[in-house]
Amino acid sequence: MNEIPNGWIDTKIEDVAEYVQRGKSPKYIDKSDLPVINQKCIRWSGVDPRYLKFIHPDQWDSWTSERFLREGDILWNSTGTGTIGRAALYKNLDGYERVVVDSHVTIVRANEACDSRFLHYFIRSSLVQSKIEDMQSGSTNQVELSRGQVINTVIPIAPLNEQKRIADKLDRLLAKVDNCRERIDRIPLILKRFRQSVLATAISGELTRDWRDEKELCYEDWQSFVLGDIVDEVRNGISVKPDEKPLGVSILRISSVRPFNVNFDDSRLLSSEAALDIYLLEFDDLLFTRYNGTLEFVGVCARVKKLPSYPVVYPDKVIRVRVDKSLAIAGFIEIVANSPVSRKFIEGLAKTSAGQTGISGKDLKSLSVILPTSPEQKEIVRRVEKLFNFADRLEARYQTARAQIDKLTPALLAKAFRGELVPQDPTDEPAATLLAKIQST
């Protein structure tokens, strides 16, 4: 670090820690009075007790007293893809007198020169997290933060009283950030429920009740069908796999089909020349996912609303449906297929095999469809699209706001460790003086 505030000093974690030690790998039991915290338990907000493991009683005596956690210990994940570098500030777990960590977690216990909250916030800051990848060592199968790397990490230490002021203010500000994030994260669920409500009212006739009243029409005029009665074609996609030497024909991935959306960018190239014409997509084709590892995405429907300039085919894990245009509008069937009642029906018919859940074209043909007149179908599609566009705009605003919130925590931490978050007090004992006293004892 090039510049540090007055009274601060750049030092190493080993100089501000009285104890730094990795845990051990014990023999586990389903339940005991000695829980062990593992890497899954570690959250920036604290320890998640859902992932606790427990040590077999015949190994309790092998754990020395300094290994038992104390309130204020920092538990630093030292291994694990996606979790390495994450740290929790330990608070006593209710119901347990003794708690330890396993070999994937390092205990960092601050000494009298360092407020443990200050040290935890430093580990959380970009000053450390941006360097985690460079700090890792070990084989390609097991990267880790070694004890040496932990204790040699350079930390800017403020005077102890200033550390406490910084930690106090970060506690308050980040609690507000977390509260804001929690509140705004309710929006996607609200929008999901809104869209489901729109679809439910659309197929029940409530969405266009006023339209029918103006036209002097009745809901009783809607006619009941099954999907098989109103389609010209139900066809599985092509089963030829993509090749390393592509001919240039684009083939969708199964993940490209989601409710109301076909992502043509989510595709590969196909080298087969076998009868591609019958699998070419056309405007208003309906695509249903035939298989997926997640039930939520089985049988979801998307209409081809706009075709790219190049030819596109679809894979065998997708079913294409072409409706009889004299009876139904593809956009209305898309609404019916994605409505809550249809989703419940489709998920009820889905079958699981070899880790994949699927539905057949025969199953889809049995889907119940109640059709209004063609003009009312068009009006329903228009109104649903208008309401969904409104929801999409709200979701885009949410994403923008969420991104801004996500920037607050790193920005506040960066400001804190530049010495800009709280006023300095010239009467505070300089950090170097306190460290010298501790090292001399």
Side-chain angles (χ1 to χ4, degrees):
M1 219 168 285
N2 295 328
E3 295 183 10
I4 57 174
N6 291 333
W8 291 48
I9 186 174
D10 280 342
T11 188
K12 295 179 180 179
I13 283 181
E14 67 176 337
D15 296 325
V16 294
E18 68 172 65
Y19 181 77
V20 178
Q21 184 62 56
R22 288 274 285 275
K24 299 193 296 182
S25 296
K27 181 170 72 174
Y28 295 115
I29 193 172
D30 288 342
K31 188 73 174 178
S32 77
D33 289 332
L34 185 54
V36 57
I37 292 172
N38 57 77
Q39 61 195 31
K40 289 185 178 180
C41 298
I42 305 298
R43 300 288 184 270
W44 288 118
S45 57
V47 173
D48 188 338
R50 293 177 300 173
Y51 301 102
L52 287 175
K53 295 182 178 180
F54 299 89
I55 299 176
H56 197 286
D58 66 11
Q59 289 196 334
W60 289 2
D61 291 341
S62 66
W63 296 80
T64 53
S65 60
E66 71 270 11
R67 288 184 177 271
F68 297 136
L69 298 183
R70 304 173 189 175
E71 189 151 4
D73 283 351
I74 292 134
L75 314 181
W76 198 350
N77 268 352
S78 298
T79 67
T81 303
T83 64
I84 191 169
R86 194 161 61 195
L89 185 63
Y90 179 70
K91 295 181 180 179
N92 292 336
L93 289 179
D94 291 340
Y96 299 102
E97 293 184 6
R98 301 181 302 175
V99 181
V100 295
V101 298
D102 72 6
S103 60
H104 299 287
V105 180
T106 298
I107 303 169
V108 181
R109 186 171 295 152
N111 64 23
E112 296 174 354
C114 187
D115 186 294
S116 58
R117 296 173 300 158
F118 182 88
L119 178 53
H120 179 246
Y121 282 130
F122 170 70
I123 293 171
R124 186 175 180 177
S125 75
S126 63
L127 294 172
V128 174
Q129 292 302 306
S130 64
K131 300 175 182 177
I132 287 294
E133 186 174 346
D134 294 336
M135 293 167 64
Q136 296 173 28
S137 63
S139 68
T140 56
N141 294 326
Q142 181 64 67
V143 295
E144 64 174 13
L145 297 180
S146 69
R147 184 180 184 278
Q149 289 164 319
V150 170
I151 64 176
N152 287 310
T153 299
V154 175
I155 175 174
I157 287 292
L160 185 59
N161 286 337
E162 187 174 348
Q163 290 180 44
K164 293 177 180 178
R165 294 196 300 274
I166 290 171
D168 287 344
K169 188 157 188 178
L170 284 173
D171 285 347
R172 295 193 300 272
L173 292 177
L174 295 187
K176 291 180 179 179
V177 172
D178 290 342
N179 185 56
C180 183
R181 183 183 295 110
E182 181 181 344
R183 287 175 177 272
I184 199 172
D185 280 347
R186 298 172 189 168
I187 291 175
L189 179 59
I190 293 171
L191 291 176
K192 180 180 179 179
R193 289 173 177 170
F194 170 76
R195 292 185 178 102
Q196 290 176 333
S197 177
V198 168
L199 296 177
T201 57
I203 68 169
S204 70
E206 286 300 311
L207 187 62
T208 45
R209 179 191 288 272
D210 61 329
W211 184 89
R212 286 196 307 276
D213 290 343
E214 290 178 6
K215 304 293 183 181
E216 297 184 351
L217 298 173
C218 300
Y219 176 72
E220 288 72 19
D221 294 333
W222 288 34
Q223 298 182 51
S224 294
F225 297 90
V226 292
L227 186 63
D229 294 335
I230 58 173
V231 299
D232 291 331
E233 177 190 84
V234 176
R235 183 188 295 274
N236 294 343
I238 192 169
S239 60
V240 178
K241 294 182 179 180
D243 195 283
E244 294 180 358
K245 299 178 180 179
L247 178 68
V249 178
S250 182
I251 181 169
L252 296 177
R253 298 175 186 266
I254 187 174
S255 55
S256 67
V257 179
R258 290 294 181 262
F260 296 96
N261 182 61
V262 180
N263 181 8
F264 287 99
D265 292 330
D266 188 10
S267 62
R268 293 177 289 180
L269 293 175
L270 195 65
S271 65
S272 171
E273 301 180 20
L276 291 179
D277 288 352
I278 62 173
Y279 300 105
L280 289 174
L281 292 178
E282 297 178 2
F283 175 74
D284 262 356
D285 281 349
L286 295 175
L287 301 180
F288 290 81
T289 52
R290 188 161 74 95
Y291 280 100
N292 201 283
T294 304
L295 180 59
E296 179 186 357
F297 295 127
V298 174
V300 298
C301 176
R303 177 168 63 98
V304 177
K305 301 176 181 70
K306 185 178 180 181
L307 284 165
S309 58
Y310 49 85
V312 182
V313 297
Y314 62 103
D316 63 335
K317 289 188 176 181
V318 172
I319 301 171
R320 182 181 66 193
V321 172
R322 288 177 172 168
V323 302
D324 182 342
K325 295 182 180 179
S326 67
L327 293 173
I329 294 171
F332 180 77
I333 302 304
E334 180 185 33
I335 290 169
V336 171
N338 287 305
S339 68
V341 65
S342 295
R343 287 302 307 157
K344 184 176 180 180
F345 174 81
I346 289 172
E347 289 179 6
L349 292 177
K351 301 175 181 63
T352 301
S353 176
Q356 290 284 310
T357 304
I359 190 169
S360 68
K362 181 180 179 181
D363 291 331
L364 285 179
K365 288 181 180 181
S366 65
L367 179 66
S368 177
V369 179
I370 303 177
L371 283 181
T373 62
S374 180
E376 188 167 0
Q377 290 182 50
K378 292 178 181 178
E379 180 64 15
I380 289 171
V381 171
R382 185 189 71 80
R383 293 191 180 195
V384 169
E385 288 179 347
K386 182 178 180 180
L387 291 168
F388 272 31
N389 286 338
F390 171 72
D392 290 345
R393 290 195 298 273
L394 289 179
E395 190 159 24
R397 292 174 66 181
Y398 156 76
Q399 295 290 352
T400 300
R402 186 61 162 79
Q404 293 301 315
I405 291 172
D406 286 343
K407 294 177 182 178
L408 287 175
T409 295
L412 287 168
L413 292 173
K415 190 172 184 179
F417 291 99
R418 291 196 302 267
E420 300 172 357
L421 191 65
V422 299
Q424 288 190 280
D425 186 340
T427 66
D428 287 341
E429 182 180 50
T433 302
L434 179 57
L435 277 173
K437 290 179 182 177
I438 293 172
Q439 291 169 355
S440 66
T441 59

